Amino acid sequence: MAAEVPPDALGRRVSCGTDYGTVRYVGSVSRTAGIWLGIEWDDPQRGKHDGSYEGTQYFKCRHPKGGSFIRPNKANFGVDFLTAVKDRYGLNEKQDAHYGTGGTLVFGTKTVEFVGMDSVAEQQRQLNKLVDISVRECAVSHAGQEEEISRTCVNMRHINLSKNLISSWDTVIAIASQVQNLETLNVSENKMRFPSTSTFTSSAFSNLKILALNQTEITWTEVLLCAQGWPVLEELYLSSNNITVLERPDNVLQTLKLLDLSDNQLLDGNQLHLIAQLPRLEQLILRNTGISSIHFPDAGFGCKTKMFPSLKRLAINDNKISQWSSINELDKLPSLRALQCNNNPLMDTEKNPETLIQLIIAKISLLEVLNNCEILPAERRGAELDYRKIFGKDWLEAGGHWNPEKNKPSEEFLAAHPRYPTLCLKYGAPEEGELKGRQPLTLKNQLLTLTIKCPEKPEQKPVEKKLPESMTIQKVKGLLYRLFKIPGSELKLSYESSKLEGKEVELDNDLKPLQFYSIESGDCVLVRW
């Protein structure tokens, strides 16, 4: 007997084995008997043609070999939500259940563990207690009978509906409207139709805080239309949706704290200006979006932008950013604390990765975490002092001067180094002896002449030592144990800079070299125990 084709089959999502596709045609095919389904497959390699057969075009595909015909009995049109939940959690009374070992129930070939459940009736009562439900890859295609979900699953808060057979956003609304306190919803990997015009706003998502719509083919225009029904949404995941252009979100998404646009090839970095006024946005994920530059035109050198006022965490890794000017621009963000920027052409501009990290730290004043690594205060201080020293010669040649009245660096220099004046105010203008640029790493250049004092033993005369700047704090401690014949107590080292009187910096990481702390010849190391 031929399988029955649903009356709304056209446009429905189906699966066939492990393959997913969309029904583009229902009907007969020339010189064959019976009904066929024309399927456009998600994976074009599953297909055979573009929807045409023997010269007749039955349907159209995006890919020239993305389509094929199958018989209706080969297509799985899916099940309703509640059936999938019962099957997934082993609570379907129609299944032939028997007890297994150690508190498990066996349904056909599926073994499901139940803790403290003595009967099938008790198991079904457990459905009411489910808070977090996952029916990923369970062929869910429709909501089922009206109000059935709300009667059965009264405590649901979090639902994972990813990679199912949902064909329309209306189906998602039909399910969500029966879940009174829905907070988290994942409907990723469902290629579905979204409303194209402003429609009646459902209250289905009135409590929704987190929504994942990755790989759903939604456009930004459709996001804004649907967002009218997301009044308290805080996190929105939209990766891999072919979103290329953005629009200003007027009166929607105003509660959003996290937005993920990864793996969408944005037209250019200026698209970001259109979402820059989201007042509460704290985290923006732009991994692999094709952007090559970032610019905030409303703020000048050393000033803060009014864009992205709350943005604390930004991910721009796996992009095409090649110019330091984009890093300079990030210092304009008033709240930025964490940055991920790996795998950009910019990262190849310096041979030494440590130098590259130091430059980024020095250029972005409020940064606390870079590429998931915390920036310690001593690391920031070292980076800023090195930056001030490395570009001091350029500063002088561009019109910089130790005398504030004569200090007039060029616009070009300030564009390349907008933080330089601030660093000069913080640490003082670089002295002539520091302005030798980057010197070749000979042993002579690497040796530091340091004065070593023991404040706790005033009778001990200060000792002058020449130490390699690459020497670790641990090795310095070993040397000092021997030098001062101190018993095996724990040494505590710090140093005073000859340029910053009254400031003492702890040498608190045994594994770091002296150069990490930007110690220079003439500085004084203090030894305590």
Side-chain angles (χ1 to χ4, degrees), residues 43-58:
D43 179 4
Q45 293 185 336
R46 171 66 173 81
K48 296 177 181 177
H49 50 69
D50 64 351
S52 59
Y53 180 72
E54 293 194 346
T56 302
Q57 186 87 44
Y58 291 92

Side-chain angles (χ1 to χ4, degrees), residues 384-498:
E384 291 178 344
L385 282 169
D386 278 357
Y387 188 89
R388 167 181 153 279
K389 185 163 46 173
I390 289 167
F391 296 103
K393 198 172 180 183
D394 296 345
W395 170 72
L396 274 181
E397 290 173 355
H401 201 278
W402 296 286
N403 183 340
E405 292 179 8
K406 296 180 181 178
N407 181 30
K408 294 177 182 176
S410 67
E411 288 285 304
E412 189 181 4
F413 178 84
L414 291 174
H417 307 282
R419 281 208 74 214
Y420 203 87
T422 307
L423 295 180
C424 285
L425 286 172
K426 187 174 180 180
Y427 300 108
E431 295 178 14
E432 195 167 0
E434 297 179 272
L435 305 183
K436 293 176 182 175
R438 304 186 195 195
Q439 298 198 2
L441 291 175
T442 61
L443 183 61
K444 187 178 177 182
N445 288 331
Q446 287 182 297
L447 287 175
L448 301 171
T449 304
L450 303 173
T451 303
I452 299 168
K453 290 181 183 177
C454 297
E456 294 177 4
K457 289 181 74 176
E459 70 277 8
Q460 177 80 51
K461 289 184 179 179
V463 177
E464 195 172 274
K465 277 282 175 187
K466 289 190 176 181
L467 302 176
E469 62 178 16
S470 58
M471 194 175 200
T472 63
I473 302 304
Q474 192 170 30
K475 288 183 179 176
V476 173
K477 284 182 176 180
L479 175 76
L480 296 176
Y481 278 128
R482 295 190 296 275
L483 183 66
F484 294 113
K485 298 182 174 58
I486 300 166
S489 55
E490 185 61 38
L491 281 185
K492 291 179 182 176
L493 303 186
S494 58
Y495 85 95
E496 289 178 337
S497 170
S498 56

